[in-house]
């Protein structure tokens, strides 16, 4: 959306111009010239590969410049959308590679299997992107071939936008669902147990959920930077347009002033009215030809300068892109060998640095292009102003040649005209300076409006998010077999999905808004070119019938109305599409959550089956051994007593480890709370120091109130962003530390329970007095009952023989009563 038009220079002149020093009737005429309008013909820059702001600044109408800026902004946004998707894929692959490297380091899988899984994951991601891109191209081609849509460009573009939005949503959904295929890929590795896969997926999901928030923040930051660049570019283009407009305004001002002067001569009967009209017409034609020649030469020089600036932009951006590509590849290669998930932070920091570096470079190129283009326009304006002196001399000579005008009146006209033009230029310069000083304030206002719009969108989404969370909670409560741990995982996944949905919908809304603004800006530019062509015909003296002129004026008026009406229609259609996209995105999110709940329920059943098999092993082995057990006539420990002792040991182990876990978590909470308070104090101190430094810098620059408001907003946002990042960092560290505690204690618990179980079975065997052959037979029978493999049974039987031998030795040492 364009900025409101700034008051024209001629309006400022008319408001501020004063001829109070002249007390005769020369000071009584109306000093207001006509309204200015854009001039010259736009140049085609479609063949320029690396286009920038200069491609817009060479346009000779304000509408043409805005259309080019909107086109570049839309293209940049589409590139940004593609960049985010590619970086999300890279992030997924990177995190998976790191966790697989951990398994390789722990001898859980071999390096060949890990690399195979990563290659398969990359291929699946590439296939999803390629398939959806191909489907979108085919769908758009079908629309292009539709005869009905060929007759309606608005409907054609609306349907095209809809196809693209659906394609992006489908692609993002499929990429998210790809994570569900990872367990199947991991299951192809024989050395990985179901428990290993579950543990890996839990860690992976948590890591990706944390990253989704980071991606969301960076997405918002880059979009904000893009919006600020758009606003600044429009302001620079408007400044450049006004600088080029001065020549036309000067002609209109000079013609108007001399017209008033001639009216006075006619009124004094010093000059016939017809003669005055002819002199003024010649004067106007001479000035217009001079202005047109000046504009044509300036346009040519602008084209040459644009080509030069485009080559410079291309060279600098290409060099920077190659450097960044190399840096990404090197870091990505290092991360491919890492087994520490914390190293992903280096990837994030590098991306942030590369993004900001590119934004800074583009801003510098924009500023340089605007500066050189404006300087060129200023130099041509100076040449034009100097050349108008010759036309003024010819005007004065014509008056003298008439004979009826005395030399005093001619001298007075020349003197007054010079004074008026001097005043005009002074007011022009003052207006230009005032406009430049208001630039920062206008940008701050636009930023505030964007933030208010964003806050409203966020408020609506938060309400939707709350509604969805309540729905998921209701679903979870209706699942009797879902554990608390599984419920927490579902909610974490849901929140991550909703973050993704929010990003997706926000990007879709902005993309379609920008595409709409680009289309409307192009139509306005074509209309401005038509108006300009008509203006050139009139100045060139081409004869046109009143009917033809009225017809053209009506066509222009109709097109302006149609643009306005089409805008309203397309905005209404856009709102409907966005509502439909929201529904579809939420349905896809619900499907993902339903799938996750189903997977967890299946996992619960599978783990329950494993436990049942383990119980069967113990029960079957106990039955096998119980057949050999009889009551000890000497009062030795019976099987029942051994079982009671065993269950008591298990209870003690469980209670002890639970107490240990609670103590460690309490200590962890206290440590992180202290760390958080310390970091908050450091951040506040840092923000205060930055604020003080910025205030000093602004005072040195003589900045005004708008700058202070902008600074306050910027510092507040910086503080909020730092607090949010700290909160995320603390949550990540808390969860990571909890996972570490749980993993260590669970491993300790499993080892202790396994050892206790084996001791229990060894005590039973020792109590029964069975031989080693009978023990081996009992183990085989127990293993067969749960379909355990032979290697596992043989290994356990060998271990049990050693434990039974030890138990027998301890039994012989027990005193008799």
């Amino acid at each position: 959306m364009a900025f409101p038009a700034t008051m024209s220079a001629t309006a400022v002149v008319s408001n501020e111009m004063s001829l109070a020093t002249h007390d005769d009737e020369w000071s009584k005429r109306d000093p207001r010239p006509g309204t200015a309008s854009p001039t010259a013909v736009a140049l085609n820059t479609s063949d320029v590969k690396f286009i920038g702001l200069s491609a817009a600044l060479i346009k000779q109408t304000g509408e043409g410049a805005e259309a080019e800026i909107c086109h570049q902004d839309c293209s940049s946004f589409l590139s940004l959308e593609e960049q985010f998707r590619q970086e999300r894929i890279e992030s997924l692959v990177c995190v998976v590679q790191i966790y697989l490297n951990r398994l390789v380091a722990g001898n859980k899988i071999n390096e060949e299997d890990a690399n195979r899984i990563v290659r398969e994951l990359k291929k699946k991601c590439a296939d999803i992107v390629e398939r959806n891109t191909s489907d979108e191209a085919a769908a758009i081609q079908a629309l292009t071939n539709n005869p009905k849509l060929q007759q309606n460009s608005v409907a054609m573009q609306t349907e095209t936008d809809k196809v693209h939005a659906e394609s992006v949503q489908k692609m993002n959904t499929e990429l998210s669902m790809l994570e569900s295929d990872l367990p199947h890929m991991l299951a192809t590795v024989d050395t990985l147990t179901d428990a290993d896969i579950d543990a890996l997926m839990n860690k992976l999901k948590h890591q990706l959920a944390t990253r989704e928030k980071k991606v969301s923040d960076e997405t918002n930051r880059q979009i904000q930077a893009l919006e600020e660049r758009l606003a600044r570019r429009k302001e620079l283009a408007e400044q450049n347009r006004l600088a080029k407009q001065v020549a036309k305004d000067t002609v209109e001002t000079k013609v108007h002033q001399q017209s008033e002067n001639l009216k006075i001569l006619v009124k004094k009967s010093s000059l016939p009215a017809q003669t005055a009209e002819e002199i003024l017409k010649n004067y106007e034609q001479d000035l217009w030809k001079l202005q047109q020649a000046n504009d044509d030469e300036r346009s040519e020089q602008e084209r040459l300068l644009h080509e030069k600036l485009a080559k410079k932009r291309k060279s600098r951006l290409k060099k920077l892109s190659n450097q960044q590509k190399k840096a990404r590849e090197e870091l990505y290669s290092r991360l491919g060998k890492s087994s520490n998930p914390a190293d992903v932070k280096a990837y994030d920091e590098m991306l942030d640095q590369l993004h900001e570096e590119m934004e800074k470079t583009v801003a510098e190129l924009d500023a340089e292009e605007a500066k050189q283009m404006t300087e060129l326009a200023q130099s041509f304006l100076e040449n034009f102003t100097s050349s108008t002196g010759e036309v003024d001399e010819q005007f004065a000579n014509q008056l003298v040649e008439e004979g009826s005008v005395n030399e005093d009146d001619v001298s007075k006209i020349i003197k007054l005209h010079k004074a008026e033009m001097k005043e005009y230029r002074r007011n022009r310069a003052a207006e230009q300076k005032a406009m430049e000083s208001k630039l920062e304030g206008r940008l701050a206002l636009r930023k505030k409006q964007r933030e208010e719009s964003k806050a409203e969108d966020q408020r609506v989404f938060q309400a939707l998010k709350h509604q969805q969370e309540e729905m998921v909670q209701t679903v979870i409560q209706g699942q009797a077999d879902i554990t608390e741990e599984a419920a927490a995982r579902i909610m974490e996944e849901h929140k991550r999905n909703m973050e993704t949905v929010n990003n997706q919908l926000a990007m879709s809304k902005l993309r379609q808004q920008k595409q709409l603004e680009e289309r409307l800006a192009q139509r306005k530019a074509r209309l401005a070119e038509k108006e300009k062509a008509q203006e050139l015909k009139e100045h060139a003296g081409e004869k046109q019938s009143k009917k033809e002129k009225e017809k053209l004026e009506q066509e222009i008026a109709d097109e302006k109305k149609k643009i306005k009406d089409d805008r309203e229609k397309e905005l209404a259609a856009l709102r409907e599409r966005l509502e439909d996209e929201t529904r579809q995105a939420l349905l896809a999110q619900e499907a993902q959550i339903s799938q996750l709940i189903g997977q967890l329920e299946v996992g619960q059943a599978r783990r329950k089956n494993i436990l049942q098999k383990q119980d069967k092993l113990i029960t079957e082995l106990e039955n096998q051994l119980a057949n050999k057990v009889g009551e000890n006539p000497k009062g030795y420990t019976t099987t029942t007593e051994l079982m009671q002792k065993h269950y008591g040991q298990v209870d003690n182990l469980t209670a002890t480890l639970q107490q240990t876990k609670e103590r460690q978590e309490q200590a962890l909470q206290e440590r992180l709370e202290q760390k958080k308070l310390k970091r908050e104090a450091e951040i506040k101190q840092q923000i205060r120091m930055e604020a003080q430094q910025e205030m000093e810098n602004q005072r040195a620059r003589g900045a005004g109130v708008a700058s202070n408001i902008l600074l306050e907003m910027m510092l507040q946002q910086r503080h909020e962003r730092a607090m949010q990042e700290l909160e995320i960092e603390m949550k990540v560290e808390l969860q990571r530390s909890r996972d570490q505690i749980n993993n260590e204690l669970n491993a300790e618990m499993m080892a202790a329970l396994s050892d206790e179980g084996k001791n229990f079975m060894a005590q039973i065997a020792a109590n029964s007095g069975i031989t080693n052959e009978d023990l081996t037979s009992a183990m085989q029978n127990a293993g067969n009952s749960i379909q355990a493999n032979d290697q596992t049974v043989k290994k356990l039987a060998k271990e049990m023989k050693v434990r039974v031998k030890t138990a027998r030795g301890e039994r012989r040492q027990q005193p008799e009563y």
Side-chain angles (χ1 to χ4, degrees):
M1 186 179 295
F3 282 94
T6 308
M7 181 181 290
S8 67
T10 52
V12 174
V13 171
S14 66
N15 289 336
E16 296 183 0
M17 184 185 300
S18 173
L19 299 177
T21 55
H22 303 277
D23 55 2
D24 57 16
E25 59 183 324
W26 293 106
S27 63
K28 298 177 183 178
R29 81 246 190 299
D30 183 8
R32 291 172 294 179
T35 304
S37 62
T39 62
V41 180
L43 295 176
N44 181 14
T45 61
S46 59
D47 60 333
V48 181
K49 185 177 180 181
F50 282 81
I51 57 176
L53 181 59
S54 63
L57 299 183
I58 64 174
K59 304 293 184 182
Q60 301 306 306
T61 65
E63 293 84 354
E66 181 161 343
E68 177 62 32
I69 289 174
C70 287
H71 170 68
Q72 292 186 28
D73 178 63
C74 191
S75 299
S76 297
F77 186 84
L78 293 175
S79 298
L80 193 62
E81 191 175 44
E82 173 61 27
Q83 171 194 306
F84 287 145
R85 180 166 58 248
Q86 186 60 36
E87 288 177 356
R88 183 174 272 112
I89 292 174
E90 287 182 0
S91 176
L92 170 64
V93 174
C94 179
V95 172
V96 170
Q97 177 77 71
I98 287 175
Y99 278 104
L100 289 177
N101 289 344
R102 296 190 76 180
L103 294 178
V104 172
N107 295 321
K108 290 282 187 178
I109 63 174
N110 58 50
E111 189 172 350
E112 182 180 349
D113 283 332
N115 292 335
R116 174 181 58 79
I117 292 173
V118 170
R119 286 196 302 272
E120 185 178 351
L121 179 61
K122 287 181 179 179
K123 185 177 184 305
K124 285 179 178 289
C125 291
D127 288 345
I128 289 173
V129 174
E130 182 179 356
R131 182 174 62 255
N132 281 277
T133 302
S134 177
D135 290 347
E136 179 184 354
I140 291 177
Q141 184 61 46
L143 293 175
T144 305
N145 297 333
N146 188 319
K148 292 183 179 180
L149 293 178
Q150 288 174 355
Q151 304 300 320
N152 190 335
S153 60
V154 174
M156 171 72 77
Q157 192 61 53
T158 299
E159 290 301 313
T160 302
D161 290 347
K162 184 177 179 180
V163 167
H164 180 69
E166 291 174 350
S167 176
V168 170
Q169 178 174 316
K170 184 172 179 288
M171 191 184 308
N172 290 339
T173 300
E174 289 182 8
L175 288 171
S176 297
M177 296 296 288
L178 182 59
E179 295 170 21
S180 302
D181 290 342
L182 276 174
H184 304 297
M185 297 185 208
L186 295 169
T188 61
V189 181
D190 295 335
T191 54
L192 282 180
T193 66
D194 290 340
D196 292 331
I197 294 174
D198 287 344
L200 175 61
M201 290 305 300
N202 285 337
K203 293 175 182 177
L204 186 63
K205 290 281 188 181
H206 179 71
Q207 180 75 16
L208 292 174
T210 302
R211 286 198 47 70
E212 191 62 39
K213 175 61 178 173
K214 175 66 179 66
V215 169
S216 176
D217 290 342
E218 177 59 12
T219 300
N220 290 332
R221 190 202 66 77
Q222 284 197 261
I223 289 175
Q224 179 74 9
L226 194 63
E227 291 296 292
E228 290 177 0
R229 187 185 80 172
L230 173 64
R232 186 167 291 277
R233 278 184 159 195
K234 286 185 176 182
E235 285 290 345
L236 291 172
E238 177 64 11
Q239 289 182 15
N240 184 266
R241 185 193 70 80
L242 290 176
K244 292 189 289 190
Q245 179 77 12
V246 174
K248 184 174 184 297
D249 291 346
T250 299
V251 170
E252 292 179 349
T253 301
K254 291 175 73 66
V255 170
H256 179 79
Q257 289 173 347
Q258 297 293 34
S259 173
E260 294 297 314
N261 292 335
L262 291 177
K263 287 178 182 178
I264 295 175
L265 290 176
V266 171
K267 186 178 180 181
K268 293 176 61 177
S269 301
S270 299
L271 189 68
Q274 184 177 358
T275 302
E277 184 178 347
E278 291 176 356
I279 292 175
L280 183 64
K281 184 177 180 181
N282 291 335
Y283 181 66
E284 182 178 7
Q285 283 294 317
D286 290 342
L287 286 174
W288 183 84
K289 289 177 182 178
L290 181 63
Q291 178 209 331
Q292 192 60 40
N294 181 78
D295 287 348
D296 290 343
E297 178 61 22
R298 188 198 66 232
S299 296
E300 176 62 16
Q301 292 302 316
E302 283 179 337
R303 183 185 66 79
L304 296 174
L305 177 58
H306 163 60
E307 291 178 356
K308 174 185 173 183
L309 293 172
K311 289 179 181 179
K312 180 179 179 181
R313 176 181 285 260
K314 176 180 178 180
S315 175
R316 187 170 175 185
L317 291 182
K318 188 174 182 179
K319 180 179 179 181
L320 179 59
S321 296
N322 290 336
Q323 291 174 347
Q324 292 193 348
K325 180 181 178 181
K326 183 178 179 181
R328 287 167 70 109
E329 289 174 349
E330 289 176 352
L331 180 58
Y332 199 67
S333 176
R334 290 200 302 272
L335 289 176
K337 302 173 184 177
S338 172
S339 59
N340 184 5
D343 288 343
V344 178
K345 186 177 181 181
Y347 176 78
D348 293 333
E349 291 175 347
M350 181 202 67
L351 288 183
D352 292 349
Q353 180 182 348
L354 297 184
H355 295 160
E356 292 175 6
E357 185 180 21
M358 183 62 72
E359 291 163 10
K360 180 181 178 183
T361 301
V362 171
E364 290 174 353
L365 288 169
D366 283 353
E368 178 62 23
E369 290 173 12
K371 179 174 179 291
Q372 292 198 36
M373 281 291 186
T374 301
E375 288 176 351
L376 179 64
Q378 186 62 35
S379 67
F380 271 90
L381 175 61
E382 291 173 358
N383 291 336
F384 171 75
T385 302
S386 176
S387 300
T388 57
E390 298 177 5
V391 179
D392 289 337
E393 289 181 6
Q394 293 175 9
F395 176 80
N397 291 336
Q398 279 187 291
L399 289 177
V400 172
E401 289 172 1
E402 287 300 319
S404 59
V405 182
N406 62 59
E407 294 184 2
D408 289 340
D409 285 343
V410 173
S411 177
K412 184 176 290 188
I413 288 174
I414 295 173
K415 184 177 180 181
L416 179 59
H417 185 64
K418 287 182 179 180
E420 289 173 334
M421 292 308 299
K422 183 178 180 180
E423 180 73 6
Y424 165 77
R425 287 190 293 271
R426 186 187 69 79
N427 288 330
R428 261 288 189 180
E431 182 197 2
Q432 179 69 19
K433 186 175 181 180
M435 185 184 69
E436 291 174 357
S437 67
K438 292 177 181 178
L439 170 61
E440 190 174 359
R442 288 199 300 269
L443 291 176
L445 178 61
R446 293 285 295 176
K447 183 176 181 180
K448 182 180 179 182
Q449 292 172 343
R450 290 195 302 271
E451 289 174 348
E452 289 174 350
S453 176
K454 179 181 175 182
E456 176 61 20
D457 290 343
Q458 191 64 20
R459 184 192 65 77
V460 172
F461 179 76
Q462 286 299 327
L464 180 62
K465 181 180 178 182
H466 179 69
Q467 177 186 356
Q468 290 289 308
E469 286 181 357
E470 288 184 340
M471 181 195 69
V472 173
Q473 287 284 9
T474 302
V475 173
I476 291 174
Q477 291 170 3
Q479 307 295 320
D481 293 335
I482 295 295
T483 64
E484 290 185 6
E485 179 183 357
R489 178 177 169 184
I490 291 170
M491 288 307 302
E492 181 180 50
E493 184 72 8
H494 168 71
K495 290 178 180 178
R496 176 195 169 194
N497 289 347
M498 289 300 292
E499 196 73 48
T500 303
V501 167
N502 187 26
N503 292 340
Q504 177 180 310
L505 293 176
M507 293 288 283
S508 180
K509 178 181 178 181
L510 274 172
R511 178 183 63 250
Q512 294 183 69
Q513 284 178 339
K514 288 180 180 295
Q515 289 171 333
L516 172 58
E517 293 300 331
E518 180 189 3
R519 293 195 300 273
L520 295 174
Q522 288 172 346
R523 291 174 64 182
K524 290 177 182 178
R526 289 193 292 269
L527 186 61
E529 289 176 3
K530 185 180 291 188
E531 289 180 302
K532 182 57 191 170
Q534 174 65 13
E535 182 184 12
L536 291 175
K537 286 182 180 180
E538 292 177 356
H539 277 300
E542 293 186 17
K543 292 185 178 180
Q544 206 173 18
S545 67
K546 182 179 179 181
K547 185 176 181 180
E548 289 177 334
K549 187 175 180 181
E550 289 177 350
K551 180 181 178 182
L552 180 60
E553 290 175 350
Q554 186 60 47
E555 288 177 356
I556 292 174
D558 291 344
E559 178 62 15
K560 287 182 177 179
K561 184 177 185 303
K562 192 172 186 302
I563 290 175
K564 183 178 179 181
D565 293 341
D566 288 346
R567 175 184 173 82
E568 295 302 319
K569 291 178 183 178
E570 291 204 48
L571 284 174
L574 174 59
R575 285 191 290 270
E576 291 180 3
R577 285 201 305 274
L578 291 174
E579 289 175 1
D580 184 62
E581 282 184 44
T582 301
R583 286 192 295 270
Q584 295 300 324
L586 291 177
L587 286 174
Q589 194 275 145
E590 290 171 9
Q592 286 181 267
I593 290 299
S594 297
Q595 184 181 19
L596 176 60
I597 291 175
Q599 290 173 345
L600 290 175
E601 286 179 333
V602 171
Q604 285 289 105
R606 178 170 51 79
R607 283 189 288 273
K608 184 176 181 181
N609 185 46
I610 292 173
L611 291 174
Q612 288 174 345
K613 284 186 176 181
Q614 291 175 346
D615 289 340
K616 286 181 180 180
L617 173 60
I618 295 175
T619 302
E620 185 61 27
L621 182 57
E622 181 182 343
N623 290 337
Q624 294 290 330
L625 297 177
N627 292 329
K628 303 292 183 178
V629 175
E631 286 297 329
N632 189 331
K634 295 185 178 181
Y636 289 137
T637 304
T638 65
T639 300
T640 301
E641 290 171 339
L642 287 173
M643 291 179 65
Q644 291 175 348
K645 181 179 178 182
H646 167 66
Y647 292 139
Q649 285 291 95
V650 170
D651 290 341
N652 289 337
L653 282 171
T654 304
T656 300
L657 289 174
Q658 181 62 31
Q659 291 172 1
T660 302
K661 178 181 178 181
E662 291 174 357
R663 285 196 303 271
Q664 291 188 13
E665 287 201 350
Q666 178 65 26
L668 172 64
Q669 289 278 11
E670 293 175 356
R671 178 172 61 82
L672 290 182
E673 186 63 29
Q674 291 297 322
K675 182 177 180 179
K676 181 180 179 181
L677 292 174
K678 182 179 178 182
R679 289 289 306 280
E680 286 178 347
E682 292 174 351
I683 290 173
K684 289 179 180 178
Q685 178 63 23
Q686 179 66 24
I687 295 294
R688 279 196 294 267
M689 293 174 62
E690 292 177 0
Q692 183 178 359
Q693 183 62 44
E694 289 288 346
M695 291 290 286
E696 292 176 356
N697 293 340
Q698 289 201 0
R699 280 196 295 269
R701 294 194 302 266
V705 177
S707 299
N708 292 334
I709 295 174
L710 184 62
L711 173 61
E712 185 178 348
M713 292 169 57
M714 180 186 69
L715 293 173
Q716 179 64 26
Q717 291 175 355
R718 193 180 300 171
H719 179 266
E720 291 175 357
R721 185 165 58 248
M723 290 295 105
Q724 290 173 357
E725 291 174 354
L726 176 61
E727 186 69 24
I728 293 172
E729 181 184 342
M730 291 296 100
K731 286 182 178 179
V732 170
E733 185 171 351
L734 175 61
Q735 188 60 47
R736 184 172 61 247
S737 300
R738 279 179 172 171
D739 289 344
Q740 184 178 359
I741 291 173
N742 288 334
N743 291 338
E744 291 174 354
L745 291 179
N746 286 340
E748 186 178 344
M749 170 71 82
M750 293 300 296
L753 291 177
S754 175
D755 189 65
E756 173 58 28
K758 291 173 183 177
N759 285 337
F760 166 60
M761 287 186 289
Q763 291 289 340
I764 291 179
N767 194 58
S768 68
I770 64 174
T771 64
N772 288 341
E773 289 75 12
D774 290 336
L775 177 60
T776 300
S777 176
M779 290 295 302
Q780 288 176 342
N781 292 336
N784 290 337
S785 68
I786 64 164
Q787 299 179 350
N789 61 63
D790 293 339
Q791 186 178 0
T792 301
V793 173
K794 289 178 180 179
K795 182 179 179 181
L796 182 58
K798 182 178 180 180
E799 183 181 353
M800 287 302 300
K801 289 176 183 179
V802 175
R803 289 179 178 270
V804 169
K805 182 178 179 180
T806 302
R808 283 172 178 164
E810 293 174 349
R811 178 187 171 198
R812 284 194 295 268
Q813 295 176 5
Q814 289 181 352
E816 297 184 6
Y817 296 93

